[in-house]
Amino acid sequence: ARPRVGYFYTGKSSTQLLSESIKKIKVNDFKSIPVVVNENVTVYDAIVTMFLEDVGTLFVVDNDNLLVGALSRKDCLRASIGKQDLNTVPVHIIMTRMPNITMCKGDDLLIHVAEKLIEKQIDAIPIVRERDNGYEVVGRITKSNITKAFVSLFNED
Amino acid sequence: ARPRVGYFYTGKSSTQLLSESIKKIKVNDFKSIPVVVNENVTVYDAIVTMFLEDVGTLFVVDNDNLLVGALSRKDCLRASIGKQDLNTVPVHIIMTRMPNITMCKGDDLLIHVAEKLIEKQIDAIPIVRERDNGYEVVGRITKSNITKAFVSLFNED
């Protein structure tokens, strides 16, 4: 039987086709703009930035604009119920610091970044570009971006 | 040409097959256990519960164990940089309250819940069961659960 016009036969099962569709999705297809703060700003100012920019994770950079850490809502909440003064403590004291930051590149597969988010139990991963002395932050991928990718698979046609 | 053994021909395009795979996934397939607190606990105790249970959203119930609100890390962070005393303010003062809570049922399609998470810009949705006077919380769906579903689509075969 010849396939009807408008359909096509690839000789592949549906789960194979599914895997292949997902394998085409790159980080760059669903990335968001990163929000960065200098390592010397106070935790209070970082929290205000989180609310103003409506993000759950800030990336922390040094004076050369290179990635030195990440700060989540969870980190800030922990600090805020602690004994430290949010108005004087700089973010580099409470942030998760390099080299313990999971990073990715814009042309990485989104599925691999999704696996890292689950495995490391984190909310956001910075998209970086390598520089002489470190990494510049050029984007971010969060579980919201993965959720949008999931929804887009369904609405593709 | 007759399809080779081990493959099958359904007369459908790959995007149709993709949509159909996703349409089979129900909320119950990827749900997590909900963490609930009584509406009269203090914000401080709620934050401690978030850390102990390692969740980003608590669901708030009344003395009949019926859903009355939701409390996110963002709500708690906002309260913690405010002027209120976290040790005395009860969660019902700062929570998002019914009827402004987006809910779902265990046999809803996961894709529809994913769309709601994006549309409402929230992190978690309670899975509820209807009772005479309200709703009982029986589970939760977060962007982490959607991310796991996305990863599982790729690893299916």
Side-chain angles (χ1 to χ4, degrees):
Chain A
R2 204 162 133 259
R4 275 173 292 160
V5 173
Y7 297 100
F8 64 93
Y9 170 61
T10 63
K12 287 174 180 169
S13 72
S14 65
T15 50
Q16 278 179 304
L17 288 169
L18 191 59
S19 287
E20 282 175 20
S21 296
I22 293 175
K23 243 190 278 185
K24 285 182 205 139
I25 308 176
K26 300 289 179 68
V27 161
N28 275 337
D29 299 330
F30 283 93
K31 70 180 173 190
S32 291
I33 291 170
V35 180
V36 302
V37 292
N38 186 281
E39 59 186 333
N40 295 315
V41 305
T42 65
V43 174
Y44 182 88
D45 285 347
I47 295 173
V48 170
T49 303
M50 272 183 186
F51 278 101
L52 289 176
E53 304 283 346
D54 200 23
V55 294
T57 303
L58 299 172
F59 299 114
V60 184
V61 297
D62 62 16
N63 291 333
D64 293 328
N65 223 20
L66 297 176
L67 180 66
V68 292
L71 193 73
S72 69
R73 244 179 225 146
K74 195 174 169 181
D75 295 327
C76 294
L77 196 55
R78 190 184 296 108
S80 75
I81 61 166
K83 288 190 178 15
Q84 293 161 311
D85 180 2
L86 302 184
N87 284 298
T88 57
V89 176
V91 293
H92 68 79
I93 299 291
I94 70 158
M95 72 186 185
T96 303
R97 61 182 61 246
M98 291 285 278
N100 301 319
I101 306 293
T102 302
M103 304 177 291
C104 69
K105 301 278 169 70
D107 55 1
D108 285 350
L109 292 180
L110 192 65
I111 186 74
H112 291 156
V113 177
E115 286 169 337
K116 281 187 197 172
L117 285 167
I118 296 296
E119 183 199 324
K120 310 273 184 183
Q121 295 187 285
I122 50 181
D123 290 323
I125 290 180
I127 307 168
V128 298
R129 195 178 292 148
E130 210 160 347
R131 292 235 306 239
D132 284 347
N133 307 316
Y135 297 93
E136 181 189 2
V137 183
V138 295
R140 75 179 206 277
I141 285 284
T142 66
K143 285 173 186 166
S144 295
N145 300 110
I146 308 292
T147 302
K148 280 175 193 164
F150 180 80
V151 168
S152 80
L153 283 177
F154 182 69
N155 295 326
E156 225 168 35
D157 45 40
Chain B
R2 203 160 135 262
R4 275 174 293 161
V5 173
Y7 297 101
F8 64 93
Y9 170 61
T10 62
K12 287 173 180 169
S13 73
S14 65
T15 50
Q16 277 179 305
L17 288 169
L18 190 60
S19 289
E20 282 175 21
S21 296
I22 294 176
K23 243 191 278 186
K24 285 183 205 139
I25 308 175
K26 299 289 178 68
V27 161
N28 275 338
D29 299 331
F30 284 92
K31 69 180 174 189
S32 292
I33 291 170
V35 180
V36 302
V37 292
N38 186 280
E39 60 186 331
N40 295 316
V41 305
T42 65
V43 174
Y44 182 88
D45 285 346
I47 295 172
V48 171
T49 302
M50 273 182 187
F51 278 101
L52 289 176
E53 304 283 346
D54 199 24
V55 293
T57 302
L58 298 172
F59 299 113
V60 184
V61 297
D62 62 15
N63 292 332
D64 293 328
N65 223 20
L66 297 176
L67 180 66
V68 292
L71 193 75
S72 69
R73 244 177 225 149
K74 196 174 169 181
D75 295 327
C76 293
L77 196 55
R78 191 185 294 108
S80 74
I81 61 165
K83 289 189 177 17
Q84 293 160 311
D85 180 2
L86 302 183
N87 286 296
T88 57
V89 176
V91 292
H92 68 79
I93 299 291
I94 69 157
M95 72 185 184
T96 303
R97 62 182 61 247
M98 290 285 278
N100 301 319
I101 306 292
T102 301
M103 305 177 291
C104 69
K105 301 277 169 70
D107 56 1
D108 285 350
L109 292 180
L110 191 66
I111 186 74
H112 291 157
V113 177
E115 286 170 336
K116 281 187 198 172
L117 285 167
I118 297 296
E119 184 199 323
K120 309 273 183 183
Q121 295 186 283
I122 50 180
D123 290 323
I125 290 181
I127 308 167
V128 298
R129 197 177 291 149
E130 209 160 348
R131 293 235 305 240
D132 284 347
N133 306 316
Y135 297 93
E136 181 189 1
V137 183
V138 295
R140 75 178 206 278
I141 286 285
T142 67
K143 285 172 185 167
S144 296
N145 299 109
I146 307 292
T147 301
K148 281 175 192 164
F150 180 80
V151 168
S152 80
L153 283 177
F154 182 68
N155 295 326
E156 224 168 34
D157 45 40

